[in-house]
Amino acid sequence: MPETMRAVEIEGGAGPIEALHITEIPKPVPKDSQALVKIKAFGLNRMDLLQREGHYPVPSQAPKTMGVEFSGVIEAFGCAPERGFKVGDEVFGLAYGGAYAEYIAVSTHMLVHKPKELSWEQCAGIPETWITAIQALYLVGLFKPGKSILWHAGASSVSIAGIQMSVADGASAVYATARQDAKCEFVMKELGATKAFNTSTQDWATEVQKATDNKGVDIIIDFVGADYFQANLDAIARDGIIVNLGWLGGSKLPAGVDIGGFVRKRIRYEGSSLRSRSEDYQGNLRNQLVEHALPKFIDGSFKVVIEKVLSWKDIQEAHRLMEQNKTKGKLICTID
């Protein structure tokens, strides 16, 4: 068995898109509960752009190779794998890193058996985005049927997952924001959102108040941060929960922000992340994905929305497409 493999690396450890290249690196050896998986496809996530630029805090247990979600075939195990998996099984899963490569050593606690109804590309686009959405919606946002919810960046992969789950699980109303009319139409017509607001042309917080008879929404899932902070406080309902997953609009608040809504409305504002979580925490979320969402993927109720599939040899183009912020859904790379 070869001791090396091909993987996407960053020249100099961090840099621009042009620094991405495929090279030979040592092949991982599975330990303890890990499996060695030969990768068929992997998904791109915005954290990959930040990691490439040297701006993402990579967990200590992660390899330097990028990529956290993948699909492939098990080739070997460590000494104590989770029961239910065997060599030759087709799987997909979540990792702390290392998916931009021919092989990955990953905990079996983060693997899911690949359904025959889904392609390699579809499965590679599920783990990070859908598990993140499950975490934000249920564990942090405390969603229950009858609650109303707003997903920012409505055409992003996490929100595409979250909108579908919110609709399926009986939200009283599901709202979304996006920066293009086409994306607003997409989340309403294709995903079933109640209404979507174009943040480039509308005062979305005011529109939310109009749509809810000035009650606001019960839950807001936010990736933008500082730019939407005040508007989130204006749009949230009394006893509402705002879940912050990122700061695409900056992390430092401008002067004049009024935090009085925290007290007046009894707002809870909580930040969260997934990659920095323990294996046990992630494993519990994997179980929720299998129980809650996997049957709906199989029967077609839930869609894995893929913008484009590229060869991993075109990894620079894939990163360029993600940076342009024009995609709807996942960018997937296949390994030739």
Side-chain angles (χ1 to χ4, degrees), residues 194-261:
T194 308
K195 198 169 183 63
F197 311 104
N198 186 333
T199 59
S200 298
T201 60
Q202 293 177 288
D203 179 345
W204 64 266
T206 298
E207 294 301 319
V208 167
Q209 290 292 343
K210 290 179 182 177
T212 59
D213 294 326
N214 293 316
K215 294 178 182 177
V217 288
D218 297 312
I219 304 167
I220 294 176
I221 312 294
D222 176 44
F223 310 87
V224 181
D227 283 355
Y228 286 5
F229 188 85
Q230 183 67 69
N232 282 335
L233 298 186
D234 296 339
I236 195 72
R238 180 169 290 181
D239 295 316
I241 298 174
I242 301 171
V243 183
N244 179 255
L245 300 179
W247 51 87
L248 295 174
S251 60
K252 296 183 179 180
L253 299 180
V257 168
D258 179 5
I259 64 171

Side-chain angles (χ1 to χ4, degrees), residues 47-48 50-59 273-276:
M47 75 177 79
D48 301 347
L50 296 173
Q51 183 174 340
R52 190 200 73 225
E53 295 168 348
H55 301 317
Y56 191 92
V58 179
S273 63
L274 179 60
R275 195 175 183 183
S276 61

